[in-house]
Amino acid sequence: AQGLGKAILVGREDRIHEAADAAGVEIRDGVEIHNARLSKRNSAYAQYLYDRLQRKGFLFRDCQRLINQDRNHFGAAMVATGDADAMVTGLTRNYSVALSDVTRVIDQKPGHRMIGVSLIIARGRTVMVADTAVHEMPNAAEIAEIAIEAAGAAKRLGYTPRVALLSFSTFGYPEAERSKRVQEAVQILDRQKVDFEYDGEMGADVALNPEIMAQYPFCRLTGPANVLVMPAFHSAAIATKMLQELGGSTVIGPLLIGLDKPVQIVSMAAKDTDLLNMAALAAMGVGG
């Protein structure tokens, strides 16, 4: 209705219509419904998947079963082969399960690293947080690549990235072994001569509060950070979920960045507005 694109629903027609009737929603003529088991494209999708997985322990019948019985594999195959432009999933599956399904079908974009980026909208400002979905305990090289991917996502969304690489320490104090990974990541970015502002390691208060940042006049950032690179997945997940549950902030994501095609995965607690936001971003090509 908003002109963002054409909706394709994957599932059994009778169940989709039952759910629509129960919700008081009309399935319009512009909405396509594809039943994975009955699709005329099944054999092509199964062959595509078998070509990818035959040397990873999968028989053809395994791939056929995944296409016939699993909506994630079927939907991802639609996107991979050009029968759909983007995909949104995750409402009935754990995030990591949905991600594993999708990555069996769609590769990372060449030269890129797959990450999750969450958008925090609070007090009139938007801050992006990475990695909130993929890397549990990244090393220095991975942190540097996460920073590059997150900065690229910020640019595509219309922001000029100011990237802070976070830690519990700030510019060497207190000294700690885990902070060294973040320091090394900054050195890697220095050698690569990237085209965006960045600095670290620093605490979140230094990154976001200009008065506190002013105590470090050597800091390379020209203003409060709008991209926060977390030192590990657990800190990123804890921070974004706390903000979401405590209120006062709108959290969108994680947005999946770095796949070869646009695929977004929502949480199992997602509402209709969350699905719409993700569908709009996927339709814009965010992530692919």
Side-chain angles (χ1 to χ4, degrees):
Q2 295 184 12
L4 298 171
K6 186 175 184 178
I8 301 172
L9 303 179
V10 178
R12 286 173 47 180
E13 294 90 335
D14 55 343
R15 291 189 177 181
I16 289 174
H17 283 290
E18 285 174 8
D21 291 342
V25 175
E26 181 183 356
I27 300 293
R28 301 184 179 183
D29 293 337
V31 177
E32 293 182 18
I33 298 176
H34 289 254
N35 185 327
R37 184 180 293 276
L38 303 178
S39 172
K40 296 178 181 179
R41 295 283 286 155
N42 268 21
S43 59
Y45 296 159
Q47 186 61 55
Y48 171 84
L49 192 57
Y50 180 59
D51 290 342
R52 290 174 56 82
L53 301 180
Q54 57 188 294
R55 292 185 178 272
K56 297 181 180 180
F58 286 76
L59 302 174
F60 182 82
R61 62 174 178 264
D62 299 324
C63 298
Q64 184 73 70
R65 183 173 64 253
L66 288 173
I67 294 297
N68 283 355
Q69 300 180 7
D70 187 85
R71 293 186 294 272
N72 282 340
H73 288 85
F74 181 88
M78 289 187 72
V79 175
T81 58
D83 291 336
D85 296 312
M87 172 179 167
V88 178
T89 186
L91 194 61
T92 60
R93 304 272 179 93
N94 180 283
Y95 192 103
S96 60
V97 173
L99 181 60
S100 177
D101 293 343
V102 169
T103 52
R104 283 201 185 106
V105 187
I106 300 173
D107 290 324
Q108 287 187 163
K109 185 181 295 184
H112 291 261
R113 177 171 290 277
M114 183 173 61
I115 65 169
V117 175
S118 294
L119 275 65
I120 312 297
I121 304 170
R123 298 180 182 178
R125 62 196 287 193
T126 300
V127 177
M128 301 176 66
V129 181
D131 169 20
T132 53
V134 181
H135 298 88
E136 182 178 357
M137 190 68 70
N139 58 33
E142 290 169 335
I143 292 173
E145 291 181 359
I146 290 168
I148 292 170
E149 289 294 339
K155 290 178 182 177
R156 290 192 294 276
L157 290 172
Y159 298 98
T160 299
R162 294 186 299 275
V163 181
L165 284 73
L166 297 190
S167 178
F168 67 91
S169 60
T170 297
F171 299 121
Y173 182 82
E175 186 175 353
E177 183 178 349
R178 288 192 176 184
S179 297
K180 291 180 180 178
R181 290 182 296 130
V182 184
Q183 295 168 3
E184 291 171 10
V186 173
Q187 294 167 8
I188 292 170
L189 293 172
D190 289 344
R191 292 194 294 270
Q192 294 186 356
K193 298 180 179 179
V194 296
D195 62 349
F196 57 86
E197 291 184 22
Y198 63 92
D199 209 351
E201 90 287 12
M202 68 179 75
D205 54 345
V206 178
L208 297 172
N209 189 321
E211 294 181 1
I212 301 176
M213 185 181 290
Q215 298 176 27
Y216 302 90
F218 54 84
C219 180
R220 303 172 185 174
L221 300 183
T222 58
N226 55 12
V227 178
L228 305 179
V229 175
M230 295 290 195
F233 173 45
H234 60 265
S235 56
I238 290 169
T240 52
K241 289 180 180 179
M242 282 181 62
L243 285 171
Q244 195 165 27
E245 292 302 320
L246 289 173
S249 302
T250 299
V251 180
I252 300 174
L255 306 177
L256 196 56
I257 305 293
L259 275 181
D260 207 23
K261 302 284 186 177
V263 175
Q264 297 301 338
I265 302 172
V266 302
S267 73
M268 290 191 289
K271 299 177 174 61
D272 53 354
T273 53
D274 300 317
L275 289 163
L276 179 60
N277 286 337
M278 284 298 202
L281 290 164
M284 291 167 57
V286 174

